Amino acid sequence: MEPAGMAGAVPSTLPGPVRRALLAPLVDHHCHGVRGGALSRAAYERLIAGAGTPPAPGTTHFDTPAGTAVRRWCAPVLGLEPHAPPAVYLARRAELGAEEVNRRLLRAAGVVAFLVDPAEAPDETLSAAEMGRLGGAAADEILSLETVEEEVAREDPAAAGYARALEERLAALAGGAVALKSAVPGRRGLAFDPARPARAAVVAAAGRRLAAPKEPLDDPVLLRHLLWTAAAVAREHGLPLQIHTGYGAPGDQGRDRGYGGRDPALAAGLAEALHPAGVPLILLNCHPYHRGAAHLAAVFPHVYLDLAPPGPAASPASAVGELLDLVPYHKMLFGSHGRGLAESCHLGALHFRRALARALAARLERGEWDAAGAARVAHMIGSDNARRVYRL
Amino acid sequence: MEPAGMAGAVPSTLPGPVRRALLAPLVDHHCHGVRGGALSRAAYERLIAGAGTPPAPGTTHFDTPAGTAVRRWCAPVLGLEPHAPPAVYLARRAELGAEEVNRRLLRAAGVVAFLVDPAEAPDETLSAAEMGRLGGAAADEILSLETVEEEVAREDPAAAGYARALEERLAALAGGAVALKSAVPGRRGLAFDPARPARAAVVAAAGRRLAAPKEPLDDPVLLRHLLWTAAAVAREHGLPLQIHTGYGAPGDQGRDRGYGGRDPALAAGLAEALHPAGVPLILLNCHPYHRGAAHLAAVFPHVYLDLAPPGPAASPASAVGELLDLVPYHKMLFGSHGRGLAESCHLGALHFRRALARALAARLERGEWDAAGAARVAHMIGSDNARRVYRL
Amino acid sequence: MEPAGMAGAVPSTLPGPVRRALLAPLVDHHCHGVRGGALSRAAYERLIAGAGTPPAPGTTHFDTPAGTAVRRWCAPVLGLEPHAPPAVYLARRAELGAEEVNRRLLRAAGVVAFLVDPAEAPDETLSAAEMGRLGGAAADEILSLETVEEEVAREDPAAAGYARALEERLAALAGGAVALKSAVPGRRGLAFDPARPARAAVVAAAGRRLAAPKEPLDDPVLLRHLLWTAAAVAREHGLPLQIHTGYGAPGDQGRDRGYGGRDPALAAGLAEALHPAGVPLILLNCHPYHRGAAHLAAVFPHVYLDLAPPGPAASPASAVGELLDLVPYHKMLFGSHGRGLAESCHLGALHFRRALARALAARLERGEWDAAGAARVAHMIGSDNARRVYRL
């Protein structure tokens, strides 16, 4: 059965097997929870912008690629005409209520499993389990390393016991997680020495850290130490390690100091250092550095990537074709990177299918690929790779 | 009325409102004066190349994207067939004379207002007023910060009085300007500490600076101090601050030390530091880093951008579609970045219209946008945004 | 006569002169030798991946852009149907034998001259002469600077005599070479001080170097010294200097420390420093930084570029159009960057022709170029520029 809301999004001129592969259920290997309660127009606009700031006077955050896409593609899922005006769309949203809106948009995304990153979620954010229930899908949790570290720090261990407390907590939580995730590039960039920090340096840094345990983790030694501890735990539990690159999640920019260090190519040293651990290293976002990320995925057997521009519902359309000329097909994953609004999860899935459809259609039309190969690759990127890497 | 020379450049298959929006008069928010006198073939080639160097033996600067575009699109404006050979084109140019050539090309650009950066203009360069007169348009001046600083330095104030003299001069000139512009990335790159430099450091740097007052400003402390002084003046006068990013104007390369520091993402710290001042920060050029610049424009309410590859008349065609998937529509501006040749102003407007036409046509054809939305966005980017930001 | 295997690769809808220009023999200005002996499937997969590592469990290196292209385009050259399954393709390859496979694929590439970089070739790699013989083409050798340096170091000169021994060896070998090539970005990145190192610093570094003469050259002073010595030799012999940029050859990553320093824009200082020597500086690969490289080629009269993503047979398709809007046509060269497999040389030529065909067809269709201009530019990029720069 074709998922409602997606069938119209994939060109009917594609060969049947390719079209079916594109419409098959996806594994969304990285998303966040969406808000469960009612939203004012101002709150909705802040979420659609991803910036957390109100629109400038005389403008609206609906005048964005995300706004265009919501009006075009989400309006019909809520029973409206395509391109419904913002006020009409928001009125319909209020009329249906958050639960029904979320159910419709998540289900119509055609996702069979959500892997949910619960980090930094504000109140009224749905849990992974609630995402699964509303979306008619399986749901698993991604363990946010910085969140765990901040919990440990707040419990005020002695500096000498910090490393062990952290490792024990990660190990205890890893059993319930499907992956571990680091946001280190959003804190300090990727241009760091990838070597494991020495024990003495960790203890010294922990002493400073524990003097201000309520602050977000920002110490470069401890960020690296966290990565290395996580790699060991990930290896033990057979879990992959996700790492934000590119411009990261839109929530990052508040304390971001790493705008100059977001190129995933800077993670080459880290990839090399972690290679012996045998842990899959998954580069998240990558945009606009996806061409370089494709090189890492080709060169390192344990490196994977997805492709998502920052911001809810921005479209990677022009980049998917660029990537498909470069990346090994078994190294690319789908992640909506949705956050806050069910629209962003829905549009992530829709943009992915449409962009891949466009790239495959062009290759078929030019006689470069055959339909069987195109269908196989659509299945690989859409779900097979994620099933293999995350052992779903 | 459709501007002569542009009507044929925008596909007639576009819906009427979209086509009319694309052909509507533009605000060119950043250009330079063009040369008013006769030009030899050698001088013309140097200008078309933007490099200031003669072509290598056996080659001609007409064998460039700029040369192709001049022959294709400017030749008809001068009454020739498209793709006229270089010698025929230059002969016709000489026959008509500089004044008539400039009048035809500038008028046919369909520009309603030129914002002219007068920095580093050689002799026989038209002033902003002359650009307006020949182009049948309004014209305003952009205040070049480095030019002002170099005037102040040459007047030899005491080091202790340098900061005040600079501020007073900027304040005196700001009243007659439509924006302030910094070329700091062309001097020292963008990878600098964005914090306002301390007064003592400025005085010390001014002492060194004033020992060689005829040199172009190159001191990193004073460049930053200039930016901060300008931000205060801009705030006072309600003016935006333009800043070169990407590979900048082709005139920069002579003393450029910042090739590694041109990514506008490096301006994130500066954007954050200047945010409280409430001054619009306009990233110029951005190419080839426009995808990252789009992220800054989405995240920071006061950040805007335009898109122009370096060099007169290079085409941003492949990049406009990339940008339109990412950037808030009220954050993008049109600037020809024309310089020296009226052809470069004309082709800037033409490339912009053609590239936007192509990007919008593709979105309409794929059913992603509706015609009303496409027309609105064309108006926003082409002139409405500039009218709002520059208070025209 | 149209080269077998290429005629079907260039759209028959192109105007005759453009099609003929695209099918005309190419000068492949940078490739490596291919393997002369039989290859197991495992060995073939490692070569096709370019990574030197086996595929992850459950995957095959045929599930890559290179694998798709081999099955689509090389299979017919070996007498199979397009999209032949990997096992069928490899069986046919074994049946024909390496010599016949190499002959067919190299000849069908339609190359009139191979410029072969012999650096780091494993056993059973064809020499330049053998490449020429099998490919029915002229063949010349590129002198690998690091290879020469490593030979000199192993002969254990005194530290004080190192510089002279190196210069003499380079001068002795330059007479038999068509170009000199540096792999410095694969060793230390491009973010280095471009100035010529002082003699005393070279002697001191040589002392350290000669303590471990069997190690690959990795000292930053000596790498720079090697470049400067090579520039002097290149000038003397009228040879161009090739330099790897972008992500370089796939063989580099083993000891690569420069992932963060691969942007060819970082070579601007070097380009400026070498300008007075009058030696053509040819930026190799450039991808994914080709837009910035185009700027250098436009600004510096002695800078040239080619365009090749890393990895055998990855396609630059989406990038050629980006480049054609920016680069002076007399500054772009064709290089397959083939290595190890004759398929990579063949597909380099095929991807180049197809990508350029697509970019030119789009410009003709949009009325931006005329057929005569398109044909001229195809000849320039395909062979004329190389003949001029390398004095073939």
Side-chain angles (χ1 to χ4, degrees):
Chain A
M1 197 198 68
E2 292 182 346
M6 289 289 154
V10 173
S12 57
T13 49
L14 278 167
V18 181
R19 196 160 185 273
R20 280 192 295 278
L22 287 162
L23 292 171
L26 300 170
V27 173
D28 184 348
H29 89 122
H30 191 91
C31 67
H32 302 258
V34 304
R35 298 287 282 275
L39 294 166
S40 67
R41 172 151 186 170
Y44 189 89
E45 288 218 17
R46 275 198 300 276
L47 286 171
I48 209 179
T53 49
T59 71
T60 156
H61 285 324
F62 272 97
D63 278 334
T64 55
T68 300
V70 163
R71 294 172 50 215
R72 168 61 185 92
W73 300 108
C74 299
V77 181
L78 305 192
L80 300 171
E81 290 296 308
H83 310 297
V88 172
Y89 184 82
L90 292 172
R92 176 65 177 158
R93 218 181 183 281
E95 181 185 31
L96 289 170
E99 167 114 356
E100 177 61 14
V101 165
N102 289 340
R103 179 182 293 114
R104 287 195 186 195
L105 288 167
L106 292 177
R107 265 177 212 252
V111 166
V112 69
F114 293 103
L115 311 193
V116 182
D117 176 0
E120 304 182 39
D123 288 349
E124 297 206 346
T125 298
L126 300 191
S127 68
E130 289 167 315
M131 292 285 287
R133 182 179 59 82
L134 284 178
D140 282 289
E141 274 211 14
I142 297 163
L143 192 59
S144 160
L145 298 176
E146 288 77 12
T147 304
V148 174
E149 194 278 345
E150 284 155 21
E151 282 169 17
V152 170
R154 267 180 228 117
E155 290 164 15
D156 199 16
Y162 167 88
R164 166 175 285 206
L166 181 62
E167 187 173 356
E168 286 176 357
R169 184 66 53 85
L170 285 173
L173 294 170
V178 73
L180 284 71
K181 186 218 67 170
S182 166
V184 61
R187 307 274 172 117
R188 284 281 172 177
L190 281 162
F192 55 80
D193 175 357
R196 180 162 205 153
R199 189 176 145 69
V202 171
V203 172
R208 294 190 298 273
R209 163 80 176 127
L210 295 170
K214 295 199 178 166
E215 294 297 306
L217 176 61
D218 188 44
D219 180 275
V221 170
L222 295 187
L223 282 165
R224 271 194 292 144
H225 171 254
L226 181 56
L227 265 178
W228 278 95
T229 307
V233 171
R235 180 186 197 175
E236 188 90 9
H237 288 76
L239 299 179
L241 185 58
Q242 298 184 344
I243 185 164
H244 274 297
T245 69
Y247 291 115
D252 285 355
Q253 68 275 2
R255 60 173 172 273
D256 190 295
R257 305 180 181 183
Y259 272 100
R262 299 295 196 96
D263 187 339
L266 294 166
L270 181 68
E272 203 169 343
L274 293 180
H275 189 187
V279 173
L281 182 65
I282 302 176
L283 306 172
L284 301 177
N285 295 103
C286 297
H287 192 276
Y289 306 106
H290 44 281
R291 283 167 162 165
H295 179 61
L296 295 201
V299 163
F300 291 105
H302 62 307
V303 172
Y304 296 77
L305 59 75
D306 73 10
L307 172 65
S315 165
S318 66
V320 168
E322 294 169 15
L323 209 43
L324 216 57
D325 282 338
L326 301 169
V327 76
Y329 313 136
H330 43 83
K331 290 303 196 71
M332 185 170 169
L333 301 162
F334 161 67
S336 71
H337 293 262
R339 181 196 285 262
L341 296 177
E343 282 89 340
S344 60
C345 296
H346 183 86
L347 289 172
L350 182 132
H351 284 319
F352 168 76
R353 286 190 174 99
R354 283 180 63 75
L356 190 55
R358 187 160 27 131
L360 293 176
R363 281 155 181 76
L364 291 168
E365 200 183 316
R366 295 195 297 255
E368 294 167 0
W369 290 39
D370 62 356
R376 259 188 82 236
V377 168
H379 278 299
M380 289 169 78
I381 303 178
S383 60
D384 290 353
N385 293 339
R387 286 183 208 279
R388 192 179 69 250
V389 175
Y390 295 100
R391 307 186 188 184
L392 300 178
Chain B
M1 197 196 67
E2 293 181 345
M6 288 288 155
V10 172
S12 57
T13 49
L14 278 167
V18 181
R19 196 159 184 273
R20 280 192 295 278
L22 287 162
L23 291 171
L26 300 170
V27 173
D28 184 348
H29 90 122
H30 191 91
C31 67
H32 303 257
V34 304
R35 300 286 283 275
L39 294 166
S40 67
R41 171 151 185 170
Y44 188 89
E45 289 217 17
R46 275 198 300 276
L47 287 170
I48 208 179
T53 49
T59 71
T60 156
H61 285 324
F62 271 98
D63 277 334
T64 55
T68 301
V70 163
R71 293 172 50 214
R72 168 62 186 92
W73 300 107
C74 298
V77 180
L78 305 192
L80 300 171
E81 290 297 307
H83 310 297
V88 171
Y89 184 83
L90 292 172
R92 176 65 177 158
R93 220 182 182 279
E95 182 186 29
L96 289 170
E99 168 113 356
E100 176 63 13
V101 166
N102 289 340
R103 179 182 294 113
R104 287 197 188 194
L105 288 167
L106 292 178
R107 266 178 211 253
V111 166
V112 69
F114 293 102
L115 311 193
V116 182
D117 175 0
E120 303 181 39
D123 287 349
E124 297 206 346
T125 298
L126 301 190
S127 68
E130 290 167 316
M131 292 284 288
R133 182 180 59 82
L134 284 178
D140 282 290
E141 274 211 15
I142 297 164
L143 192 60
S144 160
L145 298 177
E146 288 77 13
T147 304
V148 174
E149 193 279 345
E150 285 155 21
E151 284 170 16
V152 170
R154 267 181 228 117
E155 290 164 14
D156 199 15
Y162 167 88
R164 166 175 284 207
L166 181 63
E167 186 173 357
E168 286 176 356
R169 183 67 52 87
L170 284 174
L173 294 170
V178 73
L180 284 70
K181 185 218 67 168
S182 165
V184 62
R187 307 273 172 119
R188 283 281 170 177
L190 281 161
F192 54 80
D193 175 358
R196 179 163 205 154
R199 190 175 145 71
V202 172
V203 173
R208 293 189 298 272
R209 164 79 176 129
L210 297 169
K214 296 199 176 164
E215 293 298 305
L217 176 61
D218 188 43
D219 180 275
V221 170
L222 296 187
L223 282 164
R224 272 194 291 146
H225 171 255
L226 180 56
L227 265 178
W228 278 95
T229 307
V233 170
R235 181 185 196 175
E236 187 89 9
H237 288 76
L239 299 178
L241 184 58
Q242 298 184 345
I243 185 164
H244 273 297
T245 69
Y247 290 113
D252 285 355
Q253 69 276 359
R255 60 171 172 274
D256 190 295
R257 303 179 182 186
Y259 271 102
R262 300 295 196 97
D263 187 340
L266 294 166
L270 181 68
E272 203 170 343
L274 293 179
H275 189 186
V279 173
L281 182 65
I282 302 175
L283 306 172
L284 300 177
N285 295 102
C286 297
H287 191 277
Y289 305 107
H290 44 282
R291 284 167 162 165
H295 179 61
L296 295 201
V299 162
F300 291 106
H302 61 308
V303 172
Y304 296 78
L305 59 77
D306 73 11
L307 172 66
S315 165
S318 65
V320 169
E322 295 168 15
L323 209 44
L324 215 57
D325 283 337
L326 300 169
V327 75
Y329 312 135
H330 44 84
K331 291 302 195 74
M332 185 170 168
L333 301 162
F334 160 67
S336 71
H337 293 261
R339 180 196 285 264
L341 296 177
E343 283 89 339
S344 61
C345 296
H346 183 86
L347 289 172
L350 181 131
H351 284 318
F352 169 76
R353 286 189 175 99
R354 283 180 62 75
L356 190 56
R358 191 170 9 142
L360 294 176
R363 282 155 181 76
L364 291 168
E365 200 183 317
R366 296 194 297 255
E368 295 167 0
W369 289 39
D370 63 355
R376 259 188 82 236
V377 169
H379 279 298
M380 290 169 79
I381 303 178
S383 61
D384 290 353
N385 292 340
R387 286 182 208 280
R388 190 178 71 249
V389 174
Y390 295 99
R391 308 186 187 183
L392 300 179
Chain C
M1 197 196 68
E2 293 181 346
M6 288 289 155
V10 173
S12 57
T13 49
L14 278 167
V18 181
R19 195 159 184 272
R20 279 191 295 277
L22 287 162
L23 291 170
L26 300 169
V27 173
D28 184 346
H29 90 122
H30 191 91
C31 67
H32 302 259
V34 304
R35 299 286 282 275
L39 294 167
S40 67
R41 171 150 186 171
Y44 188 89
E45 288 217 17
R46 276 198 299 276
L47 286 171
I48 209 179
T53 49
T59 71
T60 156
H61 286 324
F62 273 97
D63 277 334
T64 54
T68 301
V70 163
R71 294 172 50 213
R72 168 62 185 92
W73 300 107
C74 299
V77 180
L78 305 192
L80 300 171
E81 290 296 308
H83 310 296
V88 171
Y89 184 82
L90 292 172
R92 177 65 177 159
R93 219 183 182 278
E95 181 186 31
L96 290 170
E99 167 115 356
E100 176 62 14
V101 165
N102 289 340
R103 179 182 293 113
R104 288 196 186 193
L105 288 167
L106 292 178
R107 265 178 211 253
V111 166
V112 71
F114 293 102
L115 311 193
V116 182
D117 175 0
E120 302 182 39
D123 287 349
E124 298 206 345
T125 298
L126 301 191
S127 68
E130 290 166 316
M131 293 283 288
R133 182 179 59 82
L134 285 178
D140 282 289
E141 275 210 14
I142 297 163
L143 192 59
S144 159
L145 298 177
E146 288 78 13
T147 303
V148 173
E149 194 277 347
E150 285 155 21
E151 283 169 17
V152 170
R154 268 181 227 115
E155 290 164 14
D156 199 15
Y162 167 89
R164 167 175 284 207
L166 181 62
E167 186 173 358
E168 286 176 356
R169 183 67 53 85
L170 285 173
L173 294 169
V178 74
L180 284 69
K181 186 219 67 171
S182 165
V184 61
R187 307 274 171 117
R188 284 281 172 177
L190 281 161
F192 55 80
D193 175 358
R196 180 163 205 153
R199 190 176 145 70
V202 172
V203 173
R208 293 189 299 272
R209 163 80 175 127
L210 295 170
K214 295 198 177 165
E215 294 297 305
L217 176 62
D218 188 44
D219 180 275
V221 170
L222 296 187
L223 283 165
R224 273 193 291 144
H225 171 255
L226 180 56
L227 266 178
W228 278 95
T229 307
V233 170
R235 181 185 197 176
E236 187 89 8
H237 288 75
L239 299 179
L241 185 57
Q242 298 184 344
I243 186 163
H244 274 296
T245 69
Y247 291 114
D252 285 354
Q253 69 275 2
R255 59 172 172 274
D256 190 295
R257 304 179 181 184
Y259 272 100
R262 299 296 196 96
D263 187 340
L266 294 166
L270 181 68
E272 203 169 344
L274 293 179
H275 190 186
V279 173
L281 182 64
I282 302 176
L283 306 172
L284 300 177
N285 295 104
C286 297
H287 192 276
Y289 306 107
H290 45 281
R291 283 168 162 164
H295 179 61
L296 295 201
V299 163
F300 291 105
H302 62 308
V303 171
Y304 296 77
L305 58 77
D306 73 11
L307 172 66
S315 166
S318 65
V320 168
E322 295 168 15
L323 208 43
L324 216 57
D325 283 337
L326 301 169
V327 76
Y329 313 136
H330 43 84
K331 291 302 195 74
M332 185 170 168
L333 301 162
F334 161 66
S336 71
H337 293 261
R339 180 196 285 263
L341 296 177
E343 282 88 340
S344 61
C345 296
H346 183 87
L347 289 172
L350 181 132
H351 285 318
F352 169 76
R353 286 189 174 99
R354 283 180 63 75
L356 189 56
R358 189 165 16 136
L360 293 176
R363 282 155 181 76
L364 291 167
E365 200 184 317
R366 295 194 297 255
E368 296 167 0
W369 290 39
D370 63 356
R376 258 188 82 235
V377 168
H379 278 300
M380 290 170 78
I381 303 178
S383 61
D384 290 354
N385 293 340
R387 285 182 209 280
R388 191 179 70 250
V389 174
Y390 295 100
R391 308 187 187 182
L392 300 178

